[in-house]
Amino acid sequence: MNRLRHADVEVGAELPERTFPVRRLDLVRYAGASGDFNPIHWNERFAKSVGLPDVIAHGMFTMAEAARVLTDWAGDPGCVVDYSVRFSAPVVVPDDEGAEITVGGRVKAKNDDGTVDVLLTARSGGAKVLVQSKATVRLAR
Amino acid sequence: MAINPDYLGREYPAPEPYEVTRGKIREFAEAVNDPNPVYTDPAAARAAGYPDVVAPPTFPVILGMAGSAQAIADPDLGVDFSRVVHGDQSFHYSRPTHAGDLLDSVTRITGIRALGGNELLTLETVAHDAGGEHVVTATMMLVVRGGDE
């Protein structure tokens, strides 16, 4: 995997947009791997009983998919210095067709310490599911 | 049910250090469908300059989830888990987590406030390695949705 060099990045550069499918099976697997067994992420009857439209994805699943866009672009999963997101709407995952999460990003700033600031976006079902999402990554010299 | 404001600042140390294993990192990477070989192939990780396979950036949420579960399990805190959704999440990394790490963590309640009929609970989990060096701080804000009645 080739590491992106700090000198080769310009402010305003777009990260390649990608779309990730998410199905109920992904949420069950993620629940097991992360330890987040909140039934709103796998039990439709329970999700609806607490006022949600259907089963919703773990916010952290969306955050992980957005991280893939970031680390694949930078070429190094260990490059992340800071990473923060706000979950602005749920990713609703119907039983039959599942959902899709589309992630994009843009370089907001180049810093003198060899890092860059990236703004990330994520949409699902026509809604912005991440807002105020940003990361600082340390790029190769 | 309201969150008890007296719990602001309360700390929940993990009962034991968390042992980061290759198998758990692989399980997590597969769960987020990330095929990057540095998560699963020790040779690829070493070639990239790491001592062993590294964990995806959001892996430390496992420590945050465990710490928040300790807090939420405390009945006197007053959180109805069935009404909890994740509001925001941040990580600050001193270095990536890798297999072989033994992480000591403490979760602290750093925010309790009401907002438009909901309650917001912020929990900060700080993890150090066996040498006492900071590895990652994970901060999660949980929204406890107000009742419809």
PDB file of all heavy atoms in Angstrom, chain B residues 6-44:
ATOM      1  N   ASP B   6     -25.120  14.086  40.296  1.00  0.00           N
ATOM      2  CA  ASP B   6     -24.010  13.866  41.232  1.00  0.00           C
ATOM      3  C   ASP B   6     -22.949  12.930  40.652  1.00  0.00           C
ATOM      4  O   ASP B   6     -21.855  12.813  41.199  1.00  0.00           O
ATOM      5  CB  ASP B   6     -24.527  13.243  42.541  1.00  0.00           C
ATOM      6  CG  ASP B   6     -25.452  14.179  43.297  1.00  0.00           C
ATOM      7  OD1 ASP B   6     -25.434  15.392  43.002  1.00  0.00           O
ATOM      8  OD2 ASP B   6     -26.203  13.699  44.167  1.00  0.00           O
ATOM      9  N   TYR B   7     -23.275  12.267  39.531  1.00  0.00           N
ATOM     10  CA  TYR B   7     -22.327  11.308  38.949  1.00  0.00           C
ATOM     11  C   TYR B   7     -21.304  11.956  38.030  1.00  0.00           C
ATOM     12  O   TYR B   7     -20.413  11.281  37.517  1.00  0.00           O
ATOM     13  CB  TYR B   7     -23.091  10.201  38.206  1.00  0.00           C
ATOM     14  CG  TYR B   7     -23.493   9.080  39.128  1.00  0.00           C
ATOM     15  CD1 TYR B   7     -24.355   9.324  40.196  1.00  0.00           C
ATOM     16  CD2 TYR B   7     -22.998   7.794  38.959  1.00  0.00           C
ATOM     17  CE1 TYR B   7     -24.718   8.307  41.068  1.00  0.00           C
ATOM     18  CE2 TYR B   7     -23.355   6.774  39.819  1.00  0.00           C
ATOM     19  CZ  TYR B   7     -24.210   7.034  40.871  1.00  0.00           C
ATOM     20  OH  TYR B   7     -24.556   6.030  41.740  1.00  0.00           O
ATOM     21  N   LEU B   8     -21.428  13.262  37.814  1.00  0.00           N
ATOM     22  CA  LEU B   8     -20.429  13.955  36.996  1.00  0.00           C
ATOM     23  C   LEU B   8     -19.049  13.792  37.631  1.00  0.00           C
ATOM     24  O   LEU B   8     -18.877  14.048  38.829  1.00  0.00           O
ATOM     25  CB  LEU B   8     -20.792  15.444  36.888  1.00  0.00           C
ATOM     26  CG  LEU B   8     -19.916  16.280  35.957  1.00  0.00           C
ATOM     27  CD1 LEU B   8     -20.082  15.834  34.513  1.00  0.00           C
ATOM     28  CD2 LEU B   8     -20.253  17.763  36.091  1.00  0.00           C
ATOM     29  N   GLY B   9     -18.079  13.339  36.851  1.00  0.00           N
ATOM     30  CA  GLY B   9     -16.725  13.151  37.368  1.00  0.00           C
ATOM     31  C   GLY B   9     -16.452  11.764  37.904  1.00  0.00           C
ATOM     32  O   GLY B   9     -15.306  11.421  38.189  1.00  0.00           O
ATOM     33  N   ARG B  10     -17.484  10.947  38.022  1.00  0.00           N
ATOM     34  CA  ARG B  10     -17.282   9.596  38.552  1.00  0.00           C
ATOM     35  C   ARG B  10     -16.444   8.752  37.588  1.00  0.00           C
ATOM     36  O   ARG B  10     -16.581   8.862  36.374  1.00  0.00           O
ATOM     37  CB  ARG B  10     -18.623   8.919  38.801  1.00  0.00           C
ATOM     38  CG  ARG B  10     -18.469   7.583  39.516  1.00  0.00           C
ATOM     39  CD  ARG B  10     -19.725   7.180  40.214  1.00  0.00           C
ATOM     40  NE  ARG B  10     -20.136   8.136  41.242  1.00  0.00           N
ATOM     41  CZ  ARG B  10     -20.800   7.786  42.349  1.00  0.00           C
ATOM     42  NH1 ARG B  10     -21.103   6.531  42.575  1.00  0.00           N
ATOM     43  NH2 ARG B  10     -21.170   8.692  43.234  1.00  0.00           N
ATOM     44  N   GLU B  11     -15.578   7.922  38.155  1.00  0.00           N
ATOM     45  CA  GLU B  11     -14.670   7.110  37.331  1.00  0.00           C
ATOM     46  C   GLU B  11     -14.990   5.627  37.466  1.00  0.00           C
ATOM     47  O   GLU B  11     -15.342   5.158  38.548  1.00  0.00           O
ATOM     48  CB  GLU B  11     -13.216   7.359  37.737  1.00  0.00           C
ATOM     49  CG  GLU B  11     -12.765   8.777  37.419  1.00  0.00           C
ATOM     50  CD  GLU B  11     -11.268   8.961  37.573  1.00  0.00           C
ATOM     51  OE1 GLU B  11     -10.625   8.129  38.248  1.00  0.00           O
ATOM     52  OE2 GLU B  11     -10.757   9.945  37.005  1.00  0.00           O
ATOM     53  N   TYR B  12     -14.832   4.936  36.342  1.00  0.00           N
ATOM     54  CA  TYR B  12     -15.052   3.487  36.291  1.00  0.00           C
ATOM     55  C   TYR B  12     -13.803   2.821  35.707  1.00  0.00           C
ATOM     56  O   TYR B  12     -13.680   2.690  34.483  1.00  0.00           O
ATOM     57  CB  TYR B  12     -16.279   3.161  35.440  1.00  0.00           C
ATOM     58  CG  TYR B  12     -17.561   3.733  35.999  1.00  0.00           C
ATOM     59  CD1 TYR B  12     -17.949   5.034  35.687  1.00  0.00           C
ATOM     60  CD2 TYR B  12     -18.365   2.986  36.854  1.00  0.00           C
ATOM     61  CE1 TYR B  12     -19.118   5.577  36.213  1.00  0.00           C
ATOM     62  CE2 TYR B  12     -19.532   3.520  37.395  1.00  0.00           C
ATOM     63  CZ  TYR B  12     -19.906   4.808  37.069  1.00  0.00           C
ATOM     64  OH  TYR B  12     -21.047   5.350  37.592  1.00  0.00           O
ATOM     65  N   PRO B  13     -12.871   2.433  36.561  1.00  0.00           N
ATOM     66  CA  PRO B  13     -11.677   1.746  36.041  1.00  0.00           C
ATOM     67  C   PRO B  13     -12.061   0.375  35.491  1.00  0.00           C
ATOM     68  O   PRO B  13     -12.901  -0.317  36.080  1.00  0.00           O
ATOM     69  CB  PRO B  13     -10.770   1.603  37.271  1.00  0.00           C
ATOM     70  CG  PRO B  13     -11.395   2.435  38.349  1.00  0.00           C
ATOM     71  CD  PRO B  13     -12.853   2.569  38.028  1.00  0.00           C
ATOM     72  N   ALA B  14     -11.447  -0.016  34.370  1.00  0.00           N
ATOM     73  CA  ALA B  14     -11.677  -1.371  33.859  1.00  0.00           C
ATOM     74  C   ALA B  14     -11.183  -2.352  34.909  1.00  0.00           C
ATOM     75  O   ALA B  14     -10.148  -2.134  35.534  1.00  0.00           O
ATOM     76  CB  ALA B  14     -10.935  -1.567  32.543  1.00  0.00           C
ATOM     77  N   PRO B  15     -11.913  -3.459  35.122  1.00  0.00           N
ATOM     78  CA  PRO B  15     -11.528  -4.395  36.177  1.00  0.00           C
ATOM     79  C   PRO B  15     -10.178  -5.063  35.924  1.00  0.00           C
ATOM     80  O   PRO B  15      -9.511  -5.471  36.877  1.00  0.00           O
ATOM     81  CB  PRO B  15     -12.669  -5.422  36.184  1.00  0.00           C
ATOM     82  CG  PRO B  15     -13.417  -5.226  34.904  1.00  0.00           C
ATOM     83  CD  PRO B  15     -13.192  -3.818  34.485  1.00  0.00           C
ATOM     84  N   GLU B  16      -9.788  -5.146  34.653  1.00  0.00           N
ATOM     85  CA  GLU B  16      -8.471  -5.727  34.346  1.00  0.00           C
ATOM     86  C   GLU B  16      -8.001  -5.151  33.021  1.00  0.00           C
ATOM     87  O   GLU B  16      -8.808  -4.649  32.237  1.00  0.00           O
ATOM     88  CB  GLU B  16      -8.563  -7.258  34.266  1.00  0.00           C
ATOM     89  CG  GLU B  16      -9.551  -7.734  33.225  1.00  0.00           C
ATOM     90  CD  GLU B  16      -9.799  -9.235  33.311  1.00  0.00           C
ATOM     91  OE1 GLU B  16      -9.291  -9.886  34.219  1.00  0.00           O
ATOM     92  OE2 GLU B  16     -10.513  -9.738  32.429  1.00  0.00           O
ATOM     93  N   PRO B  17      -6.689  -5.218  32.736  1.00  0.00           N
ATOM     94  CA  PRO B  17      -6.206  -4.699  31.451  1.00  0.00           C
ATOM     95  C   PRO B  17      -6.823  -5.475  30.288  1.00  0.00           C
ATOM     96  O   PRO B  17      -7.095  -6.673  30.402  1.00  0.00           O
ATOM     97  CB  PRO B  17      -4.688  -4.919  31.510  1.00  0.00           C
ATOM     98  CG  PRO B  17      -4.368  -5.074  32.956  1.00  0.00           C
ATOM     99  CD  PRO B  17      -5.577  -5.705  33.582  1.00  0.00           C
ATOM    100  N   TYR B  18      -7.031  -4.767  29.187  1.00  0.00           N
ATOM    101  CA  TYR B  18      -7.587  -5.394  27.982  1.00  0.00           C
ATOM    102  C   TYR B  18      -6.437  -5.895  27.113  1.00  0.00           C
ATOM    103  O   TYR B  18      -5.571  -5.121  26.698  1.00  0.00           O
ATOM    104  CB  TYR B  18      -8.434  -4.389  27.201  1.00  0.00           C
ATOM    105  CG  TYR B  18      -9.058  -5.010  25.970  1.00  0.00           C
ATOM    106  CD1 TYR B  18     -10.263  -5.690  26.061  1.00  0.00           C
ATOM    107  CD2 TYR B  18      -8.413  -4.956  24.728  1.00  0.00           C
ATOM    108  CE1 TYR B  18     -10.827  -6.288  24.950  1.00  0.00           C
ATOM    109  CE2 TYR B  18      -8.969  -5.558  23.608  1.00  0.00           C
ATOM    110  CZ  TYR B  18     -10.174  -6.216  23.720  1.00  0.00           C
ATOM    111  OH  TYR B  18     -10.730  -6.813  22.630  1.00  0.00           O
ATOM    112  N   GLU B  19      -6.457  -7.197  26.818  1.00  0.00           N
ATOM    113  CA  GLU B  19      -5.390  -7.793  26.015  1.00  0.00           C
ATOM    114  C   GLU B  19      -5.804  -7.753  24.540  1.00  0.00           C
ATOM    115  O   GLU B  19      -6.810  -8.349  24.153  1.00  0.00           O
ATOM    116  CB  GLU B  19      -5.158  -9.241  26.466  1.00  0.00           C
ATOM    117  CG  GLU B  19      -4.004  -9.910  25.756  1.00  0.00           C
ATOM    118  CD  GLU B  19      -3.804 -11.347  26.235  1.00  0.00           C
ATOM    119  OE1 GLU B  19      -4.518 -11.802  27.159  1.00  0.00           O
ATOM    120  OE2 GLU B  19      -2.934 -12.019  25.653  1.00  0.00           O
ATOM    121  N   VAL B  20      -5.032  -7.038  23.742  1.00  0.00           N
ATOM    122  CA  VAL B  20      -5.337  -6.908  22.312  1.00  0.00           C
ATOM    123  C   VAL B  20      -4.699  -8.087  21.580  1.00  0.00           C
ATOM    124  O   VAL B  20      -3.478  -8.262  21.622  1.00  0.00           O
ATOM    125  CB  VAL B  20      -4.795  -5.582  21.749  1.00  0.00           C
ATOM    126  CG1 VAL B  20      -5.123  -5.458  20.266  1.00  0.00           C
ATOM    127  CG2 VAL B  20      -5.359  -4.401  22.526  1.00  0.00           C
ATOM    128  N   THR B  21      -5.530  -8.900  20.941  1.00  0.00           N
ATOM    129  CA  THR B  21      -5.022 -10.096  20.267  1.00  0.00           C
ATOM    130  C   THR B  21      -5.201  -9.985  18.750  1.00  0.00           C
ATOM    131  O   THR B  21      -6.054  -9.235  18.259  1.00  0.00           O
ATOM    132  CB  THR B  21      -5.775 -11.354  20.741  1.00  0.00           C
ATOM    133  OG1 THR B  21      -7.159 -11.232  20.384  1.00  0.00           O
ATOM    134  CG2 THR B  21      -5.660 -11.531  22.253  1.00  0.00           C
ATOM    135  N   ARG B  22      -4.397 -10.748  18.018  1.00  0.00           N
ATOM    136  CA  ARG B  22      -4.551 -10.807  16.558  1.00  0.00           C
ATOM    137  C   ARG B  22      -5.955 -11.258  16.179  1.00  0.00           C
ATOM    138  O   ARG B  22      -6.557 -10.742  15.239  1.00  0.00           O
ATOM    139  CB  ARG B  22      -3.532 -11.782  15.963  1.00  0.00           C
ATOM    140  CG  ARG B  22      -2.101 -11.276  15.997  1.00  0.00           C
ATOM    141  CD  ARG B  22      -1.170 -12.327  15.414  1.00  0.00           C
ATOM    142  NE  ARG B  22       0.219 -11.877  15.459  1.00  0.00           N
ATOM    143  CZ  ARG B  22       1.244 -12.647  15.132  1.00  0.00           C
ATOM    144  NH1 ARG B  22       1.047 -13.907  14.748  1.00  0.00           N
ATOM    145  NH2 ARG B  22       2.482 -12.169  15.178  1.00  0.00           N
ATOM    146  N   GLY B  23      -6.468 -12.241  16.916  1.00  0.00           N
ATOM    147  CA  GLY B  23      -7.784 -12.785  16.581  1.00  0.00           C
ATOM    148  C   GLY B  23      -8.889 -11.760  16.746  1.00  0.00           C
ATOM    149  O   GLY B  23      -9.804 -11.676  15.923  1.00  0.00           O
ATOM    150  N   LYS B  24      -8.812 -10.961  17.801  1.00  0.00           N
ATOM    151  CA  LYS B  24      -9.854  -9.956  18.037  1.00  0.00           C
ATOM    152  C   LYS B  24      -9.759  -8.845  16.978  1.00  0.00           C
ATOM    153  O   LYS B  24     -10.781  -8.359  16.495  1.00  0.00           O
ATOM    154  CB  LYS B  24      -9.725  -9.373  19.440  1.00  0.00           C
ATOM    155  CG  LYS B  24     -10.866  -8.456  19.817  1.00  0.00           C
ATOM    156  CD  LYS B  24     -12.205  -9.208  19.890  1.00  0.00           C
ATOM    157  CE  LYS B  24     -13.380  -8.269  20.021  1.00  0.00           C
ATOM    158  NZ  LYS B  24     -14.654  -9.005  20.125  1.00  0.00           N
ATOM    159  N   ILE B  25      -8.528  -8.452  16.624  1.00  0.00           N
ATOM    160  CA  ILE B  25      -8.376  -7.427  15.585  1.00  0.00           C
ATOM    161  C   ILE B  25      -8.931  -7.942  14.265  1.00  0.00           C
ATOM    162  O   ILE B  25      -9.651  -7.231  13.555  1.00  0.00           O
ATOM    163  CB  ILE B  25      -6.894  -7.011  15.446  1.00  0.00           C
ATOM    164  CG1 ILE B  25      -6.450  -6.217  16.680  1.00  0.00           C
ATOM    165  CG2 ILE B  25      -6.679  -6.192  14.169  1.00  0.00           C
ATOM    166  CD1 ILE B  25      -4.977  -5.851  16.690  1.00  0.00           C
ATOM    167  N   ARG B  26      -8.639  -9.196  13.937  1.00  0.00           N
ATOM    168  CA  ARG B  26      -9.172  -9.773  12.692  1.00  0.00           C
ATOM    169  C   ARG B  26     -10.700  -9.784  12.711  1.00  0.00           C
ATOM    170  O   ARG B  26     -11.348  -9.399  11.743  1.00  0.00           O
ATOM    171  CB  ARG B  26      -8.653 -11.204  12.502  1.00  0.00           C
ATOM    172  CG  ARG B  26      -9.295 -11.933  11.320  1.00  0.00           C
ATOM    173  CD  ARG B  26      -8.843 -13.376  11.242  1.00  0.00           C
ATOM    174  NE  ARG B  26      -7.473 -13.481  10.764  1.00  0.00           N
ATOM    175  CZ  ARG B  26      -7.119 -13.550   9.481  1.00  0.00           C
ATOM    176  NH1 ARG B  26      -8.049 -13.515   8.538  1.00  0.00           N
ATOM    177  NH2 ARG B  26      -5.871 -13.643   9.125  1.00  0.00           N
ATOM    178  N   GLU B  27     -11.260 -10.202  13.851  1.00  0.00           N
ATOM    179  CA  GLU B  27     -12.719 -10.250  13.979  1.00  0.00           C
ATOM    180  C   GLU B  27     -13.326  -8.858  13.757  1.00  0.00           C
ATOM    181  O   GLU B  27     -14.331  -8.699  13.053  1.00  0.00           O
ATOM    182  CB  GLU B  27     -13.095 -10.777  15.368  1.00  0.00           C
ATOM    183  CG  GLU B  27     -14.594 -10.858  15.614  1.00  0.00           C
ATOM    184  CD  GLU B  27     -14.928 -11.140  17.081  1.00  0.00           C
ATOM    185  OE1 GLU B  27     -14.029 -11.137  17.939  1.00  0.00           O
ATOM    186  OE2 GLU B  27     -16.120 -11.358  17.354  1.00  0.00           O
ATOM    187  N   PHE B  28     -12.696  -7.853  14.342  1.00  0.00           N
ATOM    188  CA  PHE B  28     -13.223  -6.482  14.220  1.00  0.00           C
ATOM    189  C   PHE B  28     -13.082  -5.974  12.790  1.00  0.00           C
ATOM    190  O   PHE B  28     -14.019  -5.394  12.231  1.00  0.00           O
ATOM    191  CB  PHE B  28     -12.486  -5.557  15.199  1.00  0.00           C
ATOM    192  CG  PHE B  28     -13.151  -4.210  15.350  1.00  0.00           C
ATOM    193  CD1 PHE B  28     -14.119  -4.010  16.322  1.00  0.00           C
ATOM    194  CD2 PHE B  28     -12.811  -3.156  14.519  1.00  0.00           C
ATOM    195  CE1 PHE B  28     -14.738  -2.769  16.455  1.00  0.00           C
ATOM    196  CE2 PHE B  28     -13.436  -1.919  14.641  1.00  0.00           C
ATOM    197  CZ  PHE B  28     -14.398  -1.716  15.613  1.00  0.00           C
ATOM    198  N   ALA B  29     -11.912  -6.218  12.185  1.00  0.00           N
ATOM    199  CA  ALA B  29     -11.695  -5.761  10.802  1.00  0.00           C
ATOM    200  C   ALA B  29     -12.692  -6.428   9.859  1.00  0.00           C
ATOM    201  O   ALA B  29     -13.240  -5.782   8.951  1.00  0.00           O
ATOM    202  CB  ALA B  29     -10.259  -6.047  10.368  1.00  0.00           C
ATOM    203  N   GLU B  30     -12.950  -7.715  10.074  1.00  0.00           N
ATOM    204  CA  GLU B  30     -13.926  -8.415   9.228  1.00  0.00           C
ATOM    205  C   GLU B  30     -15.334  -7.875   9.462  1.00  0.00           C
ATOM    206  O   GLU B  30     -16.139  -7.781   8.532  1.00  0.00           O
ATOM    207  CB  GLU B  30     -13.863  -9.925   9.487  1.00  0.00           C
ATOM    208  CG  GLU B  30     -12.585 -10.541   8.918  1.00  0.00           C
ATOM    209  CD  GLU B  30     -12.428 -12.031   9.203  1.00  0.00           C
ATOM    210  OE1 GLU B  30     -13.231 -12.591   9.986  1.00  0.00           O
ATOM    211  OE2 GLU B  30     -11.494 -12.631   8.651  1.00  0.00           O
ATOM    212  N   ALA B  31     -15.622  -7.474  10.701  1.00  0.00           N
ATOM    213  CA  ALA B  31     -16.968  -6.967  11.012  1.00  0.00           C
ATOM    214  C   ALA B  31     -17.218  -5.616  10.344  1.00  0.00           C
ATOM    215  O   ALA B  31     -18.371  -5.262  10.097  1.00  0.00           O
ATOM    216  CB  ALA B  31     -17.159  -6.857  12.521  1.00  0.00           C
ATOM    217  N   VAL B  32     -16.166  -4.857  10.077  1.00  0.00           N
ATOM    218  CA  VAL B  32     -16.360  -3.580   9.382  1.00  0.00           C
ATOM    219  C   VAL B  32     -15.989  -3.715   7.896  1.00  0.00           C
ATOM    220  O   VAL B  32     -15.891  -2.719   7.176  1.00  0.00           O
ATOM    221  CB  VAL B  32     -15.601  -2.409  10.054  1.00  0.00           C
ATOM    222  CG1 VAL B  32     -16.120  -2.208  11.477  1.00  0.00           C
ATOM    223  CG2 VAL B  32     -14.098  -2.608  10.058  1.00  0.00           C
ATOM    224  N   ASN B  33     -15.787  -4.961   7.461  1.00  0.00           N
ATOM    225  CA  ASN B  33     -15.555  -5.283   6.045  1.00  0.00           C
ATOM    226  C   ASN B  33     -14.318  -4.595   5.478  1.00  0.00           C
ATOM    227  O   ASN B  33     -14.291  -4.232   4.304  1.00  0.00           O
ATOM    228  CB  ASN B  33     -16.788  -4.921   5.198  1.00  0.00           C
ATOM    229  CG  ASN B  33     -18.028  -5.663   5.653  1.00  0.00           C
ATOM    230  OD1 ASN B  33     -17.975  -6.859   5.886  1.00  0.00           O
ATOM    231  ND2 ASN B  33     -19.136  -4.951   5.796  1.00  0.00           N
ATOM    232  N   ASP B  34     -13.301  -4.400   6.336  1.00  0.00           N
ATOM    233  CA  ASP B  34     -12.096  -3.712   5.878  1.00  0.00           C
ATOM    234  C   ASP B  34     -10.998  -4.732   5.597  1.00  0.00           C
ATOM    235  O   ASP B  34     -10.462  -5.341   6.524  1.00  0.00           O
ATOM    236  CB  ASP B  34     -11.637  -2.708   6.947  1.00  0.00           C
ATOM    237  CG  ASP B  34     -10.601  -1.739   6.400  1.00  0.00           C
ATOM    238  OD1 ASP B  34      -9.839  -2.125   5.487  1.00  0.00           O
ATOM    239  OD2 ASP B  34     -10.545  -0.599   6.892  1.00  0.00           O
ATOM    240  N   PRO B  35     -10.660  -4.927   4.319  1.00  0.00           N
ATOM    241  CA  PRO B  35      -9.706  -5.980   3.960  1.00  0.00           C
ATOM    242  C   PRO B  35      -8.232  -5.575   4.061  1.00  0.00           C
ATOM    243  O   PRO B  35      -7.354  -6.338   3.639  1.00  0.00           O
ATOM    244  CB  PRO B  35     -10.081  -6.270   2.502  1.00  0.00           C
ATOM    245  CG  PRO B  35     -10.536  -4.939   1.976  1.00  0.00           C
ATOM    246  CD  PRO B  35     -11.203  -4.235   3.143  1.00  0.00           C
ATOM    247  N   ASN B  36      -7.927  -4.403   4.618  1.00  0.00           N
ATOM    248  CA  ASN B  36      -6.526  -3.968   4.686  1.00  0.00           C
ATOM    249  C   ASN B  36      -5.667  -5.037   5.369  1.00  0.00           C
ATOM    250  O   ASN B  36      -5.956  -5.442   6.499  1.00  0.00           O
ATOM    251  CB  ASN B  36      -6.453  -2.642   5.457  1.00  0.00           C
ATOM    252  CG  ASN B  36      -5.127  -1.939   5.249  1.00  0.00           C
ATOM    253  OD1 ASN B  36      -4.071  -2.566   5.318  1.00  0.00           O
ATOM    254  ND2 ASN B  36      -5.178  -0.653   4.977  1.00  0.00           N
ATOM    255  N   PRO B  37      -4.597  -5.506   4.698  1.00  0.00           N
ATOM    256  CA  PRO B  37      -3.818  -6.616   5.272  1.00  0.00           C
ATOM    257  C   PRO B  37      -3.070  -6.278   6.559  1.00  0.00           C
ATOM    258  O   PRO B  37      -2.695  -7.188   7.299  1.00  0.00           O
ATOM    259  CB  PRO B  37      -2.834  -6.981   4.145  1.00  0.00           C
ATOM    260  CG  PRO B  37      -2.790  -5.788   3.255  1.00  0.00           C
ATOM    261  CD  PRO B  37      -4.126  -5.122   3.365  1.00  0.00           C
ATOM    262  N   VAL B  38      -2.840  -5.006   6.851  1.00  0.00           N
ATOM    263  CA  VAL B  38      -2.132  -4.690   8.103  1.00  0.00           C
ATOM    264  C   VAL B  38      -2.964  -5.042   9.334  1.00  0.00           C
ATOM    265  O   VAL B  38      -2.438  -5.083  10.443  1.00  0.00           O
ATOM    266  CB  VAL B  38      -1.691  -3.213   8.204  1.00  0.00           C
ATOM    267  CG1 VAL B  38      -0.745  -2.841   7.075  1.00  0.00           C
ATOM    268  CG2 VAL B  38      -2.858  -2.269   8.276  1.00  0.00           C
ATOM    269  N   TYR B  39      -4.266  -5.337   9.120  1.00  0.00           N
ATOM    270  CA  TYR B  39      -5.114  -5.746  10.240  1.00  0.00           C
ATOM    271  C   TYR B  39      -5.055  -7.255  10.488  1.00  0.00           C
ATOM    272  O   TYR B  39      -5.462  -7.719  11.547  1.00  0.00           O
ATOM    273  CB  TYR B  39      -6.575  -5.371   9.972  1.00  0.00           C
ATOM    274  CG  TYR B  39      -6.835  -3.900   9.765  1.00  0.00           C
ATOM    275  CD1 TYR B  39      -7.765  -3.466   8.816  1.00  0.00           C
ATOM    276  CD2 TYR B  39      -6.162  -2.935  10.512  1.00  0.00           C
ATOM    277  CE1 TYR B  39      -8.014  -2.113   8.628  1.00  0.00           C
ATOM    278  CE2 TYR B  39      -6.404  -1.582  10.322  1.00  0.00           C
ATOM    279  CZ  TYR B  39      -7.335  -1.180   9.378  1.00  0.00           C
ATOM    280  OH  TYR B  39      -7.584   0.149   9.187  1.00  0.00           O
ATOM    281  N   THR B  40      -4.594  -7.997   9.482  1.00  0.00           N
ATOM    282  CA  THR B  40      -4.700  -9.457   9.590  1.00  0.00           C
ATOM    283  C   THR B  40      -3.391 -10.197   9.319  1.00  0.00           C
ATOM    284  O   THR B  40      -3.258 -11.356   9.713  1.00  0.00           O
ATOM    285  CB  THR B  40      -5.754  -9.987   8.595  1.00  0.00           C
ATOM    286  OG1 THR B  40      -5.452  -9.482   7.296  1.00  0.00           O
ATOM    287  CG2 THR B  40      -7.156  -9.543   9.000  1.00  0.00           C
ATOM    288  N   ASP B  41      -2.453  -9.556   8.642  1.00  0.00           N
ATOM    289  CA  ASP B  41      -1.230 -10.243   8.207  1.00  0.00           C
ATOM    290  C   ASP B  41      -0.019  -9.628   8.927  1.00  0.00           C
ATOM    291  O   ASP B  41       0.378  -8.502   8.621  1.00  0.00           O
ATOM    292  CB  ASP B  41      -1.096 -10.087   6.685  1.00  0.00           C
ATOM    293  CG  ASP B  41       0.169 -10.746   6.145  1.00  0.00           C
ATOM    294  OD1 ASP B  41       0.977 -11.264   6.947  1.00  0.00           O
ATOM    295  OD2 ASP B  41       0.362 -10.706   4.915  1.00  0.00           O
ATOM    296  N   PRO B  42       0.562 -10.358   9.885  1.00  0.00           N
ATOM    297  CA  PRO B  42       1.687  -9.787  10.642  1.00  0.00           C
ATOM    298  C   PRO B  42       2.844  -9.344   9.739  1.00  0.00           C
ATOM    299  O   PRO B  42       3.499  -8.327  10.030  1.00  0.00           O
ATOM    300  CB  PRO B  42       2.104 -10.927  11.569  1.00  0.00           C
ATOM    301  CG  PRO B  42       0.876 -11.766  11.715  1.00  0.00           C
ATOM    302  CD  PRO B  42       0.166 -11.677  10.386  1.00  0.00           C
ATOM    303  N   ALA B  43       3.075 -10.077   8.642  1.00  0.00           N
ATOM    304  CA  ALA B  43       4.179  -9.693   7.749  1.00  0.00           C
ATOM    305  C   ALA B  43       3.884  -8.353   7.074  1.00  0.00           C
ATOM    306  O   ALA B  43       4.765  -7.492   6.960  1.00  0.00           O
ATOM    307  CB  ALA B  43       4.404 -10.786   6.701  1.00  0.00           C
ATOM    308  N   ALA B  44       2.634  -8.169   6.651  1.00  0.00           N
ATOM    309  CA  ALA B  44       2.246  -6.894   6.037  1.00  0.00           C
ATOM    310  C   ALA B  44       2.358  -5.759   7.040  1.00  0.00           C
ATOM    311  O   ALA B  44       2.791  -4.645   6.700  1.00  0.00           O
ATOM    312  CB  ALA B  44       0.825  -6.987   5.484  1.00  0.00           C
TER     313      ALA B  44
END
